[in-house]
Amino acid sequence: MRHVISPLDFSVEEIGQLLALADEIIANPAAYAHKCAGKKLATLFFEPSTRTRLSFEAAMLELGGQVLGFSSASSSSATKGESVADTVRIVQNYADIIAMRHPKEGAAAVARQFARVPVINAGDGGHLHPTQTLTDLLTIHRLKGRLSHLTVGLCGDLKFGRTVHSLIRAMLRYEGVRFVLVSPRELQVPAYIRTEMEAAGADFVQVESLEEHIAEMDVLYMTRVQQERFANVEDYLRLKDVYILDAAKMALAKPDMIVLHPLPRVNEIAHEVDDDPRAVYFRQALFGKYVRMALILTLLEEAEARPGLARAELPAASDTLVCRNPHCITTAENGIRQRFVQTAPGRWRCAWCEHDV
Amino acid sequence: MRHVISPLDFSVEEIGQLLALADEIIANPAAYAHKCAGKKLATLFFEPSTRTRLSFEAAMLELGGQVLGFSSASSSSATKGESVADTVRIVQNYADIIAMRHPKEGAAAVARQFARVPVINAGDGGHLHPTQTLTDLLTIHRLKGRLSHLTVGLCGDLKFGRTVHSLIRAMLRYEGVRFVLVSPRELQVPAYIRTEMEAAGADFVQVESLEEHIAEMDVLYMTRVQQERFANVEDYLRLKDVYILDAAKMALAKPDMIVLHPLPRVNEIAHEVDDDPRAVYFRQALFGKYVRMALILTLLEEAEARPGLARAELPAASDTLVCRNPHCITTAENGIRQRFVQTAPGRWRCAWCEHDV
Amino acid sequence: MRHVISPLDFSVEEIGQLLALADEIIANPAAYAHKCAGKKLATLFFEPSTRTRLSFEAAMLELGGQVLGFSSASSSSATKGESVADTVRIVQNYADIIAMRHPKEGAAAVARQFARVPVINAGDGGHLHPTQTLTDLLTIHRLKGRLSHLTVGLCGDLKFGRTVHSLIRAMLRYEGVRFVLVSPRELQVPAYIRTEMEAAGADFVQVESLEEHIAEMDVLYMTRVQQERFANVEDYLRLKDVYILDAAKMALAKPDMIVLHPLPRVNEIAHEVDDDPRAVYFRQALFGKYVRMALILTLLEEAEARPGLARAELPAASDTLVCRNPHCITTAENGIRQRFVQTAPGRWRCAWCEHDV
């Protein structure tokens, strides 16, 4: 582990170590208050995200380090046509570690190929957001005492929500996790996630009603259902309240269930729920800071032990295939070759954005 | 005092303590250079303001603390529809104290209801800007040696200028303050300010000519008269030069008068005045930094002594009345109930933006 | 030296001292890690520039100082019509040294007239960018061991590139420097640069082919040729590849030639060149940080020794002449008088933007 691009870059053992280190930091923050003195974090946010950026910056400051960077592409050289690859090769002269958010899928994977300092993917379009998954895992582990033998409800838009997909894939690796997938039929998890759950022998159900199933859950992970995701207005009107968590539904839940949300929340959780002790989505932001502290520390130690480039091994460049994903970093950046992983005979997946061709 | 939303949140005694602390910091900055080591200030600026933001940031850095935040809504999660209430509940995980500027009136009052860390209102629309008033008071006190027994001229747009209203209300509480209110008839102070001055038994005059009255003043507080405030162009053309401070008018003033301005200045003070030793508007910015240092220190000490929520007591929520002020935070933010204070039989004032219904 | 507005503000001796100090910092960074403790750098970027801003911020942080500022005009008070002169007079209350980038030519020269703290010009429109020139000089000196007796190739748009003009003027002062100026005929260096080279007795050639001349060069300074600079499309299509540096052209160059570029690079250097050890444009960014550290240290020491205003002597204000350069700071800022230097009988040059009238 040198760069963090995907939530699956961590083994179960590595996640255990990160969460244990986060626990130590929570227990004794003073012992870590100067660990990164003289170190700098660059936050390269090509699109804005208050929460994620401030969480990274707070993490670095609480380790005694310093922060520089930009908070939107309009205040960066990207407006002059500078590539991600060049930006990273320049910024590594100014910082010891980079947290990068970019609107294009695969942007962080590109950065990894060129950076001599650790790169953390702080979100690449709708693709991956590994520190959100780490945040979710630390929150569950701190508040439930374990990551195994839990019934995890995921509610809302399960089709497009990257945080949901990442959390399912991460939790699949723990024993005895049961998933209750609550969504309108149009917004069920994609086929590849269902395939992965089946391959792992996981126990899961796909249901339409939160009300009927909330009582089973140890953890409820809420996400927003956007009107524009529905095929027709009637379906939206029929279903929208079904996926709003309110006090009435909370009354049906276990007394020790916890409610998570990747935030920002718009109206999918009623404000009356905020004061319920089971609503932990604001404390989640606190755990997000601690897990990022653990991550920064771990990556900087690893980089000190093994300096230099730490490129991923990539498949050979292709001159015939072209990734058709309009959000792929290859559509925006010259000098990045098309590369594909063969997933099955005659089937290929872009090595950058991981879309199937 | 835990949060600072309005200039009137301070008693006269508390203002005396803040100004005394600022004096101490000015006299011995080294003694305060590490007072906030390990603490973080979040500057949440939903609209830009260089001076105010940099003043807060410089204040925190000179106390040995650190700073994070955002400088415009476009680089914040507000673009994703996140509410002020949620933003504050998240950011308090990342910072020990919050300075917030927001375009909506009452936004800081909303933040106070949800924050476990101190919130300082750094300007909420055209409503309140308490640290500007503290800056004005420290400037006057440092340079005139007192806040009482002064003739204070206020010149320009006295109708819409929130800094003018705040300064009048703050100075009304000191003995022997006389106000010379210089403005075009259309831009006189609002009725409620006149009522307050009368209730306090203050000595004040409303005049149209700066030239005729500048000789009486110990303090002259300049503000800008914008063309669009005038009912017709003739009035504007007739009056615009009357409210421009130049060397000729300065020649009529006392040798120890001081000229303040909340800045930015556009053309209401001629550049020839800048080198006059009585022009203290740039030094005002320096006093603004020191008074913010005193404020941050005081609020952090208070928060340490009494942690947790420090909500204001609010009137009961109303299901019938609705605030009609288009700039009220209730127009922008779900989950904030309509609340009104009764000011007279049948008369109500919004508890958030303080507009009369 | 108190402010740095132009690359020619430095004597050859002062440049020698700065480069020597940068060498010392590179050799022993720990000895400088706390030199600026308690000091603050304000980065006032009225237009965005990631590289330059982050380089300044990293430099100050590595000296143990702190940073505040803004990264684009939209998040500054400039949107409220505040002048550069007023911004500087306010910000000097918050910071010990200012690095300013502004879209108008002459903006930094205006700032110098009003600032009691050192001002570094971090780029004023298409005019001057002295720290880029210092970066280029340090890079050449570190990697070639000298600034004299070198054949320096400059390739691309030599007409509009300010970094090219500055580098030529800076290198002209060293012995035995030969210039190979490679550009399309339309984009040759302006007449005044040719005049300066002739006056200095410099050896130079103006050629059209990079391929034919690359073998002569010790240093190759690449810049971009933009399509819109060409009079007609045919010329552009005929010439565009001529000015792209690729592996084939590199094969013709000396084994110890070095390639510099002010960055951002778009497509004028093929990506295949990036891994050539002679391609030093990314390391250039590292040297840029070190030379800025040397500059900040030197200016702060000088400011401590001689505090107060350090205005340049300016020619008398003119009431008849007006600068016609649409990018001149005088077109944007009230309160700046028109001032001109006589360059020849009947010929005048604006004292701010240095354009001939």
Side-chain angles (χ1 to χ4, degrees):
Chain A
M1 179 178 45
R2 247 299 292 287
H3 305 288
V4 177
I5 308 305
S6 156
L8 299 180
D9 286 350
F10 306 100
S11 67
V12 167
E13 199 188 350
E14 284 169 334
I15 286 182
Q17 288 163 354
L18 276 174
L19 302 193
L21 178 53
D23 285 341
E24 265 184 63
I25 296 170
I26 293 170
N28 190 8
Y32 293 87
H34 304 288
K35 283 274 185 193
C36 290
K39 300 284 186 191
K40 293 188 254 65
L41 165 72
T43 50
L44 307 186
F45 276 60
F46 292 87
E47 65 177 13
S49 172
T50 311
R51 256 164 308 97
T52 304
R53 182 171 60 81
L54 295 188
S55 179
F56 270 109
E57 297 190 3
M60 190 56 169
L61 293 173
E62 294 193 19
L63 290 166
Q66 292 284 5
V67 176
L68 42 71
F70 50 85
S71 56
S72 67
S74 66
S75 51
S76 86
S77 286
T79 54
K80 298 183 195 162
E82 187 155 83
S83 68
V84 164
D86 282 10
T87 300
V88 159
R89 282 184 286 196
I90 291 162
V91 170
Q92 65 189 350
N93 294 308
Y94 307 147
D96 303 282
I97 184 166
I98 292 172
M100 188 176 104
R101 166 162 296 209
H102 198 282
K104 291 291 180 188
E105 301 174 5
V110 165
R112 168 179 48 192
Q113 297 306 96
F114 296 99
R116 289 173 184 277
V117 303
V119 172
I120 304 172
N121 183 4
D124 57 335
H127 184 217
L128 300 167
H129 189 6
T131 59
Q132 180 65 51
T133 305
L134 288 175
T135 299
D136 299 339
L137 294 176
L138 179 61
T139 305
I140 295 171
H141 192 262
R142 292 283 300 182
L143 300 179
K144 300 304 299 179
R146 63 188 190 280
L147 291 172
S148 56
H149 303 290
L150 289 168
T151 295
V152 178
L154 297 114
C155 175
D157 177 355
L158 306 187
K159 183 171 181 187
F160 297 100
R162 66 178 170 189
T163 58
V164 164
H165 306 163
S166 288
L167 185 59
I168 290 173
R169 298 171 91 180
M171 295 290 295
L172 263 183
R173 306 193 290 183
Y174 298 91
E175 237 181 278
V177 176
R178 183 173 171 257
F179 297 99
V180 180
L181 306 169
V182 188
S183 74
R185 207 168 290 267
E186 299 95 311
L187 296 176
Q188 287 181 350
V189 293
Y192 82 95
I193 293 285
R194 214 168 44 240
T195 307
E196 288 195 24
M197 288 191 292
E198 285 160 359
D203 181 2
F204 70 96
V205 290
Q206 294 185 289
V207 300
E208 285 209 310
S209 164
L210 177 57
E211 199 164 6
E212 289 171 21
H213 292 272
I214 194 167
E216 309 161 19
M217 301 172 185
D218 299 306
V219 174
L220 169 56
Y221 199 89
M222 289 295 299
T223 66
R224 187 147 68 103
V225 181
Q226 292 171 277
Q227 181 170 354
E228 57 270 32
R229 300 294 195 198
F230 284 87
N232 58 67
V233 178
E234 291 75 41
D235 278 2
Y236 174 72
L237 292 175
R238 182 173 53 85
L239 288 169
K240 70 184 170 70
D241 289 346
V242 174
Y243 303 103
I244 290 178
L245 183 65
D246 56 17
K249 295 197 187 80
M250 285 299 283
L252 306 170
K254 290 185 187 171
D256 64 347
M257 184 192 71
I258 56 173
V259 183
L260 281 71
H261 190 297
L263 303 177
R265 157 267 298 268
V266 178
N267 62 356
E268 59 278 13
I269 300 179
H271 291 93
E272 63 195 19
V273 176
D274 293 350
D275 291 327
D276 190 309
R278 294 170 292 181
V280 303
Y281 30 89
F282 294 121
R283 289 170 70 193
Q284 213 176 332
L286 182 62
F287 294 127
K289 179 181 73 180
Y290 287 120
V291 90
R292 286 181 179 97
M293 290 174 76
L295 188 61
I296 289 169
L297 258 181
T298 302
L299 294 176
L300 282 176
E301 272 170 24
E302 178 68 18
E304 207 149 295
R306 268 173 289 278
L309 282 169
R311 292 180 166 167
E313 275 189 53
L314 293 175
S318 166
D319 290 326
T320 51
L321 281 174
V322 172
C323 180
R324 296 268 171 81
N325 173 12
H327 304 299
C328 180
I329 184 69
T330 57
T331 64
E333 183 132 347
N334 290 324
I336 303 302
R337 306 284 304 275
Q338 300 281 343
R339 293 175 191 272
F340 297 90
V341 181
Q342 190 159 18
T343 52
R347 303 204 53 175
W348 303 85
R349 178 172 295 160
C350 173
W352 305 110
C353 72
E354 300 188 290
H355 272 244
D356 293 318
V357 187
Chain B
M1 179 177 45
R2 247 299 292 288
H3 306 287
V4 177
I5 308 306
S6 156
L8 299 180
D9 286 352
F10 307 100
S11 68
V12 167
E13 200 187 351
E14 285 169 333
I15 285 182
Q17 289 164 353
L18 276 174
L19 301 193
L21 179 52
D23 285 340
E24 267 184 64
I25 295 170
I26 292 169
N28 191 6
Y32 293 87
H34 305 287
K35 282 275 185 192
C36 289
K39 300 284 186 190
K40 292 188 257 62
L41 166 72
T43 49
L44 308 185
F45 276 60
F46 292 87
E47 64 176 14
S49 171
T50 312
R51 255 164 308 96
T52 304
R53 182 171 60 82
L54 295 189
S55 180
F56 270 110
E57 297 189 4
M60 190 57 169
L61 293 173
E62 294 193 18
L63 290 165
Q66 293 284 6
V67 175
L68 42 71
F70 51 84
S71 56
S72 68
S74 66
S75 50
S76 85
S77 286
T79 54
K80 299 183 194 160
E82 187 156 84
S83 68
V84 164
D86 282 10
T87 299
V88 159
R89 281 184 287 197
I90 291 161
V91 170
Q92 65 190 348
N93 294 307
Y94 307 146
D96 303 282
I97 184 165
I98 291 171
M100 187 176 104
R101 168 162 295 209
H102 198 282
K104 291 292 181 187
E105 301 174 5
V110 165
R112 167 177 52 192
Q113 297 306 97
F114 295 99
R116 289 173 185 277
V117 303
V119 172
I120 303 172
N121 183 4
D124 58 334
H127 184 217
L128 299 167
H129 189 7
T131 59
Q132 179 66 51
T133 306
L134 288 175
T135 298
D136 299 339
L137 294 176
L138 179 61
T139 305
I140 295 171
H141 193 261
R142 292 282 302 182
L143 299 180
K144 300 304 300 179
R146 64 190 191 278
L147 291 171
S148 56
H149 303 290
L150 289 168
T151 295
V152 178
L154 298 114
C155 174
D157 177 354
L158 307 186
K159 184 171 181 185
F160 297 100
R162 66 180 169 189
T163 57
V164 163
H165 306 162
S166 288
L167 184 59
I168 291 172
R169 298 170 92 179
M171 295 290 294
L172 262 184
R173 306 193 291 183
Y174 298 91
E175 236 181 278
V177 176
R178 184 173 170 255
F179 297 99
V180 180
L181 305 170
V182 188
S183 74
R185 209 168 288 267
E186 299 95 312
L187 296 176
Q188 288 182 349
V189 293
Y192 83 94
I193 292 285
R194 216 168 43 239
T195 307
E196 287 194 26
M197 288 192 291
E198 284 160 359
D203 181 3
F204 71 95
V205 290
Q206 295 185 288
V207 300
E208 287 210 307
S209 163
L210 177 57
E211 198 165 6
E212 288 172 21
H213 293 272
I214 193 167
E216 307 162 20
M217 303 172 184
D218 298 307
V219 174
L220 169 55
Y221 199 89
M222 289 296 297
T223 67
R224 186 147 68 105
V225 181
Q226 293 171 277
Q227 182 170 354
E228 58 269 33
R229 300 294 196 198
F230 284 87
N232 58 66
V233 178
E234 291 75 40
D235 278 2
Y236 174 71
L237 292 176
R238 183 173 52 86
L239 289 170
K240 70 184 170 71
D241 289 346
V242 175
Y243 302 104
I244 290 178
L245 184 65
D246 55 17
K249 295 196 187 82
M250 285 299 283
L252 305 171
K254 290 185 187 173
D256 64 347
M257 185 192 71
I258 55 174
V259 183
L260 280 73
H261 190 297
L263 302 179
R265 157 268 295 271
V266 178
N267 62 357
E268 59 278 14
I269 301 180
H271 291 93
E272 63 195 19
V273 175
D274 293 351
D275 291 328
D276 190 307
R278 295 170 292 180
V280 303
Y281 31 89
F282 294 120
R283 290 171 70 194
Q284 215 177 331
L286 181 62
F287 294 127
K289 178 180 74 180
Y290 287 120
V291 90
R292 287 180 177 98
M293 289 174 77
L295 187 61
I296 289 169
L297 258 181
T298 303
L299 294 176
L300 282 176
E301 272 170 23
E302 178 68 19
E304 207 149 296
R306 269 172 289 277
L309 282 168
R311 292 180 167 167
E313 276 190 51
L314 293 175
S318 166
D319 291 326
T320 50
L321 281 174
V322 172
C323 181
R324 297 267 171 81
N325 172 12
H327 304 298
C328 180
I329 183 68
T330 56
T331 64
E333 183 131 347
N334 289 327
I336 302 302
R337 306 283 305 273
Q338 299 282 343
R339 293 176 191 272
F340 298 90
V341 180
Q342 189 157 18
T343 53
R347 304 204 50 176
W348 304 85
R349 177 173 296 162
C350 173
W352 305 111
C353 71
E354 300 188 290
H355 272 241
D356 293 318
V357 186
Chain C
M1 181 177 45
R2 246 300 290 290
H3 305 288
V4 177
I5 308 307
S6 156
L8 299 180
D9 286 352
F10 307 100
S11 68
V12 167
E13 199 188 351
E14 285 169 334
I15 285 182
Q17 289 164 355
L18 276 174
L19 302 193
L21 179 53
D23 285 340
E24 266 184 63
I25 295 170
I26 292 170
N28 190 7
Y32 293 87
H34 304 287
K35 283 275 184 192
C36 290
K39 300 285 186 190
K40 292 188 254 64
L41 165 72
T43 49
L44 308 185
F45 276 59
F46 291 87
E47 64 177 14
S49 171
T50 313
R51 257 164 308 96
T52 304
R53 183 171 60 81
L54 296 189
S55 178
F56 270 110
E57 297 189 5
M60 191 56 169
L61 293 172
E62 294 192 20
L63 290 165
Q66 293 283 6
V67 175
L68 43 70
F70 50 85
S71 55
S72 67
S74 66
S75 51
S76 85
S77 286
T79 54
K80 298 182 193 162
E82 188 155 81
S83 69
V84 164
D86 282 10
T87 300
V88 160
R89 282 185 286 197
I90 292 162
V91 170
Q92 66 190 348
N93 294 307
Y94 307 146
D96 303 282
I97 185 166
I98 292 171
M100 187 176 105
R101 167 163 296 209
H102 197 282
K104 291 292 179 187
E105 301 175 5
V110 166
R112 167 178 51 191
Q113 297 307 97
F114 295 99
R116 288 172 185 277
V117 303
V119 172
I120 303 172
N121 182 5
D124 57 334
H127 184 217
L128 300 166
H129 189 7
T131 58
Q132 179 65 51
T133 305
L134 288 174
T135 299
D136 300 339
L137 294 177
L138 179 61
T139 304
I140 295 171
H141 192 262
R142 292 283 301 182
L143 300 179
K144 300 302 298 179
R146 63 190 189 279
L147 291 172
S148 55
H149 303 290
L150 289 168
T151 295
V152 179
L154 298 113
C155 174
D157 177 355
L158 306 186
K159 184 171 180 185
F160 296 101
R162 67 180 169 189
T163 57
V164 164
H165 307 163
S166 289
L167 184 58
I168 291 173
R169 298 171 91 180
M171 295 290 295
L172 263 184
R173 307 193 289 184
Y174 297 92
E175 238 181 277
V177 175
R178 183 172 169 258
F179 297 99
V180 179
L181 306 170
V182 188
S183 73
R185 209 168 287 268
E186 299 94 312
L187 296 176
Q188 289 182 348
V189 292
Y192 82 95
I193 292 285
R194 216 168 42 239
T195 307
E196 288 194 26
M197 288 191 291
E198 285 159 358
D203 181 4
F204 70 95
V205 289
Q206 295 185 288
V207 300
E208 285 210 309
S209 163
L210 178 56
E211 200 165 5
E212 289 170 21
H213 293 273
I214 194 167
E216 308 161 20
M217 302 172 186
D218 298 307
V219 174
L220 168 56
Y221 199 89
M222 289 296 298
T223 67
R224 185 148 68 104
V225 180
Q226 293 171 277
Q227 182 169 355
E228 56 270 33
R229 301 294 195 198
F230 284 88
N232 58 66
V233 178
E234 290 76 41
D235 279 1
Y236 174 72
L237 292 175
R238 182 172 54 85
L239 289 169
K240 70 184 170 70
D241 289 346
V242 174
Y243 302 105
I244 291 179
L245 184 65
D246 55 17
K249 294 196 188 80
M250 286 298 283
L252 305 171
K254 290 184 186 172
D256 65 347
M257 184 192 70
I258 55 174
V259 184
L260 281 73
H261 190 298
L263 303 179
R265 158 266 298 268
V266 178
N267 62 356
E268 59 278 13
I269 301 179
H271 291 93
E272 63 195 18
V273 176
D274 294 351
D275 291 328
D276 190 308
R278 294 170 292 180
V280 303
Y281 31 88
F282 294 120
R283 290 170 70 195
Q284 214 176 332
L286 182 63
F287 294 127
K289 178 180 75 181
Y290 287 119
V291 89
R292 287 180 178 97
M293 290 174 76
L295 188 61
I296 290 168
L297 258 181
T298 303
L299 294 176
L300 282 176
E301 271 169 24
E302 177 68 20
E304 207 149 294
R306 268 174 289 278
L309 282 169
R311 292 180 167 168
E313 274 190 52
L314 294 175
S318 166
D319 291 326
T320 50
L321 281 174
V322 172
C323 181
R324 296 268 170 81
N325 172 12
H327 305 299
C328 180
I329 183 69
T330 57
T331 64
E333 184 130 347
N334 290 324
I336 303 302
R337 305 285 303 275
Q338 299 281 343
R339 292 176 192 272
F340 298 89
V341 181
Q342 191 158 15
T343 53
R347 302 203 54 172
W348 303 85
R349 177 172 295 161
C350 174
W352 304 111
C353 72
E354 299 188 289
H355 272 242
D356 293 319
V357 186

